[in-house]
Amino acid sequence: MNINFNFTQERINYFIYALFFYSLSILYIIPYELQLPHAKIFLPLLAVTLIVQAFCYRTKILVADIIIVCSILILSVINFSQYHLFRYSLPICLMAIGFSGFKKVSVNRTYLITMCWLTLLSMISQMIRYRREEFDGSGRVSLSVGDPNLSGLFMLLFFFLSYKLKFKPGIILGLASSVLFLSRNYFVTLVIFFTIVIFEKPIAKIASKINFPILFIILNIFGILVGEIFLQYIEVGFGYDTGSTRLFSFNDKSNLIRFFANRFLIDSYINNWQLALTGYGAEYENVFRPIGAIIHNTFLEVIAYTGIPLGILYFWVILRTFNGYYTKDNFKYIFSYLFFCLFLHTGLQGLSPFLFISVLALPSQESANQHSLQVGRNLEGFYK
């Protein structure tokens, strides 16, 4: 009897299961106005889960990841701030260790689909209830966070997860939200996403030859230059369109103020190197809100909070992790998300990058189906 059996039971990645539960619960299911101190509770629990799992499974962690984590912790102690610790240092350390080696993660599909249904129902409920009142008295649909643009960020992440899982109700809600939130950045990002889907093969052929960290730097320079061009040369209208036509209008005063916030940060760091080393930290919003808008560029926003040294280490981990999942299956997610982050805040801090990396680490549904088919063949070969 010939036995062709090459089957090993996959270990459960409890850290990833906990991460999905934490991210989806806080970003979507639990209303934002409750203002739970979730980071101080769940991040230590995630850290304990990851440490115990690594010890029990004897997980191999790359030396480079250990070095960068130690460097971040040392810098965090030198310039200690609870704000930095729970918003940046601890999350990025968990990302470095939790995704060390850049392996694809296996999560039970039933578990993820159940979480998606809970998330979907919660978001629909929020979109029925919450409105942001505009200057003309009209109301724009939003999630419980109260900001249609930030709601667009959360919806984009859920859309990515739904698309990778082929969860059709989530995909439909994500598409419908482009005209419900009326967020220009979200709308343009979806256009970019589906353009990449349509021309996936030629784009993948070009993208596979591009160094991702260099691409990231170039795109952020491009985003900053767009802001400067806008400030210098674009004639700004004083009206603020709150209707559907705003999706195609970009020269209003709101963008002018946002780009000015970018310039304000750069000038403040050039003129005060001590501030550039420590960042604004918890005082960030107190400084930038009086200007009229906070920074709408995620790279600059993180640097504004953390300062340059910690920001460099933070983005070292971000780029290293993104680069580990920089594959053909993920190009459409990575490129569209990077564009979104050029013109909005929060995309690369807090739970947002955690959820995004988790989505990238999931195998595509086609790959998952092939894996299940191979397991079935192995079992069939075993019993013959």
Side-chain angles (χ1 to χ4, degrees):
M1 178 178 64
N2 294 326
I3 298 177
N4 181 18
F5 182 62
N6 183 24
F7 173 71
T8 56
Q9 184 177 3
E10 294 182 0
R11 292 172 171 174
I12 298 175
N13 191 328
Y14 293 100
F15 171 74
I16 294 297
Y17 274 83
L19 187 54
F20 269 114
F21 177 81
Y22 174 39
S23 301
L24 294 175
S25 297
I26 296 301
L27 291 180
Y28 305 99
I29 298 174
I30 299 175
Y32 183 80
E33 66 261 24
L34 293 180
Q35 293 290 308
L36 298 178
H38 57 86
K40 294 181 180 180
I41 299 171
F42 285 100
L43 289 181
L45 289 176
L46 278 175
V48 171
T49 302
L50 185 58
I51 292 169
V52 172
Q53 178 175 287
F55 178 78
C56 293
Y57 290 169
R58 297 181 181 180
T59 306
K60 293 182 179 179
I61 301 172
L62 300 178
V63 175
D65 293 323
I66 296 174
I67 292 173
I68 196 70
V69 165
C70 292
S71 301
I72 291 171
L73 293 177
I74 291 170
L75 193 57
S76 299
V77 170
I78 294 174
N79 183 29
F80 181 76
S81 162
Q82 278 197 19
Y83 195 85
H84 283 166
L85 179 64
F86 287 102
R87 193 179 182 98
Y88 296 100
S89 301
L90 188 52
I92 205 66
C93 288
L94 290 174
M95 182 182 293
I97 300 300
F99 294 93
S100 183
F102 321 117
K103 302 179 183 68
K104 289 290 184 181
V105 297
S106 178
V107 182
N108 182 274
R109 177 173 170 81
T110 302
Y111 171 79
L112 286 177
I113 293 298
T114 300
M115 291 299 300
C116 283
W117 273 113
L118 292 174
T119 299
L120 181 83
L121 295 174
S122 177
M123 285 197 294
I124 292 174
S125 173
Q126 292 173 38
M127 292 165 73
I128 293 172
R129 176 182 175 187
Y130 292 94
R131 298 290 185 275
R132 188 180 77 174
E133 186 175 346
E134 300 292 351
F135 303 110
D136 60 358
S138 63
R140 281 174 63 189
V141 176
S142 78
L143 299 177
S144 63
V145 69
D147 182 345
N149 294 316
L150 197 53
S151 299
L153 167 63
F154 298 155
M155 183 62 72
L156 182 66
L157 290 169
F158 180 67
F159 172 79
F160 285 163
L161 177 60
S162 299
Y163 195 89
K164 202 155 202 182
L165 294 174
K166 306 302 180 187
F167 179 62
K168 293 181 181 179
I171 296 173
I172 293 170
L173 181 64
L175 294 174
S177 296
S178 62
V179 294
L180 294 174
F181 293 151
L182 294 178
S183 169
R184 291 170 290 198
N185 204 23
Y186 180 68
F187 175 75
V188 175
T189 299
L190 285 183
V191 171
I192 293 173
F193 178 86
F194 283 106
T195 300
I196 297 173
V197 170
I198 294 170
F199 301 102
E200 189 166 20
K201 287 186 178 180
I203 290 176
K205 188 175 182 180
I206 297 171
S208 60
K209 299 177 181 179
I210 299 175
N211 181 281
F212 177 71
I214 293 177
L215 175 65
F216 179 85
I217 294 170
I218 291 174
L219 285 176
N220 275 282
I221 292 174
F222 167 76
I224 295 170
L225 289 177
V226 167
E228 286 301 310
I229 292 172
F230 193 97
L231 290 171
Q232 294 284 352
Y233 303 108
I234 302 299
E235 182 178 352
V236 178
F238 290 95
Y240 185 79
D241 190 355
T242 58
S244 59
T245 55
R246 76 184 308 275
L247 294 175
F248 308 97
S249 174
F250 301 95
N251 65 326
D252 56 50
K253 194 174 181 180
S254 64
N255 281 332
L256 178 70
I257 298 172
R258 292 165 183 170
F259 290 136
F260 180 76
N262 296 353
R263 179 191 286 180
F264 179 86
L265 171 69
I266 296 171
D267 289 343
S268 67
Y269 275 9
I270 291 174
N271 296 324
N272 188 340
W273 278 100
Q274 184 176 357
L275 177 63
L277 294 175
T278 61
Y280 286 95
E283 293 299 313
Y284 166 75
E285 293 212 16
N286 294 333
V287 173
F288 281 84
R289 285 294 182 188
I291 296 173
I294 57 177
I295 294 170
H296 278 58
N297 175 292
T298 305
F299 171 76
L300 290 180
E301 180 194 31
V302 171
I303 297 295
Y305 273 111
T306 64
I308 294 174
L310 181 57
I312 290 174
L313 294 178
Y314 185 90
F315 278 107
W316 178 274
V317 176
I318 289 284
L319 291 177
R320 181 175 168 79
T321 310
F322 275 36
N323 194 52
Y325 296 106
Y326 185 69
T327 62
K328 178 183 176 182
D329 287 341
N330 286 331
F331 286 156
K332 52 184 170 289
Y333 305 107
I334 291 175
F335 292 151
S336 52
Y337 193 67
L338 285 183
F339 174 84
F340 190 89
C341 289
L342 292 180
F343 304 105
L344 195 70
H345 51 85
T346 313
L348 294 176
Q349 64 171 332
L351 285 175
S352 299
F354 258 144
L355 182 54
F356 182 64
I357 291 295
S358 300
V359 171
L360 295 184
L362 288 173
S364 65
Q365 197 56 44
E366 291 78 8
S367 300
N369 290 340
Q370 290 175 4
H371 174 72
S372 299
L373 182 61
Q374 185 61 45
V375 169
R377 288 172 178 171
N378 287 337
L379 289 173
E380 183 181 356
F382 175 72
Y383 288 113
K384 281 184 177 179

